[in-house]
Amino acid sequence: MDSLSITDFRCFSGQHEVVLRPLTLVIGENSTGKTSLLPAIRIANDIRFERTPRFNQPPFLMGAFEDIVSRHSPKFSVGVSVGRVSVGSAESLRIAVDFVASDSEPVIDTLTASWSNITCSFRDESGKKLAKLVVNGVTVLENYEFRRMASLELSSWSYLLQFLAWAMEEEKKQDKELIRSIGRVAQYN
């Protein structure tokens, strides 16, 4: 894990990125968020390894959604960046999860994976699992329904990463028209 990103998480309003090294020291005044970083790192690690995030297991008892989200925001996000995923690559894979409240508990709202200039995301809307693909800042696919996913959970990363790999391969071919037509995405559905 190269970095942690958090948005509207506990005392951290807005988006923040923390670079992680083999030895990372966290220093600051009292009540500045040092202790909040530890459960965020654990949640990011859970996300990275497709485990259900543990919000209320010792030693980090974070409470209900309202206790975790910053200043009554409708959602919070936790993400991780993993560098040099392929040999010789200086780029990193970024994965993130947006959480919203359901019965006062945090539940997954959106899964996002980014590599280079391509971003793929899945979100749950009224029981439908919808995909979005952005290449070079241009949305080339939006609200594409993935029917094979029964629920949006961290095990859905395999679908998302397949989708990202497919989009990267198409981008390498420089076949923009094929990406725009996006008909072949159905093979992942």
Side-chain angles (χ1 to χ4, degrees):
M1 193 170 4
D2 293 331
S3 68
L4 166 74
S5 62
I6 50 178
T7 303
D8 294 330
F9 183 83
R10 310 261 329 205
C11 64
F12 296 99
S13 292
Q15 185 174 358
H16 300 272
E17 183 134 354
V18 179
V19 176
L20 302 172
R21 300 285 186 240
L23 176 63
T24 301
L25 300 176
V26 180
I27 301 170
E29 297 289 328
N30 290 342
S31 299
T32 57
K34 297 180 303 293
T35 303
S36 292
L37 282 178
L38 296 175
I41 291 170
R42 180 173 75 183
I43 292 166
N45 208 38
D46 289 343
I47 291 167
R48 181 177 172 206
F49 292 106
E50 298 184 15
R51 295 187 297 245
T52 301
R54 300 167 287 164
F55 293 101
N56 286 301
Q57 283 188 345
F60 307 115
L61 302 175
M62 299 182 69
F65 179 85
E66 294 77 21
D67 301 319
I68 301 169
V69 70
S70 175
R71 296 197 177 120
H72 307 292
S73 175
K75 67 180 182 178
F76 68 90
S77 302
V78 178
V80 61
S81 176
V82 181
R84 302 187 63 97
V85 174
S86 60
V87 176
S89 172
E91 297 177 343
S92 60
L93 172 66
R94 299 179 64 79
I95 53 178
V97 178
D98 293 347
F99 296 92
V100 295
S102 176
D103 296 325
S104 296
E105 294 300 318
V107 295
I108 295 172
D109 178 59
T110 307
L111 301 173
T112 303
S114 300
W115 177 269
S116 184
N117 60 337
I118 301 172
T119 301
C120 301
S121 62
F122 288 155
R123 64 185 169 83
D124 191 332
E125 186 173 296
S126 302
K128 293 182 179 180
K129 310 314 171 270
L130 304 176
K132 180 178 182 178
L133 173 63
V134 177
V135 179
N136 292 323
V138 177
T139 301
V140 295
L141 175 71
E142 192 164 24
N143 295 329
Y144 182 84
E145 186 176 357
F146 272 69
R147 294 180 190 93
R148 287 198 301 194
M149 281 191 288
S151 63
L152 194 58
E153 52 195 39
L154 290 179
S155 61
S156 303
W157 279 124
S158 60
Y159 288 113
L160 186 61
L161 294 178
Q162 284 176 350
F163 190 43
L164 180 60
W166 174 84
M168 289 168 56
E169 195 59 38
E170 294 305 318
E171 177 69 10
K172 283 182 192 174
K173 292 178 185 176
Q174 297 298 309
D175 193 345
K176 307 282 187 195
E177 197 56 41
L178 184 57
I179 290 177
R180 287 193 193 340
S181 67
I182 219 71
R184 291 178 58 200
V185 171
Q187 72 186 7
Y188 291 105
N189 193 8

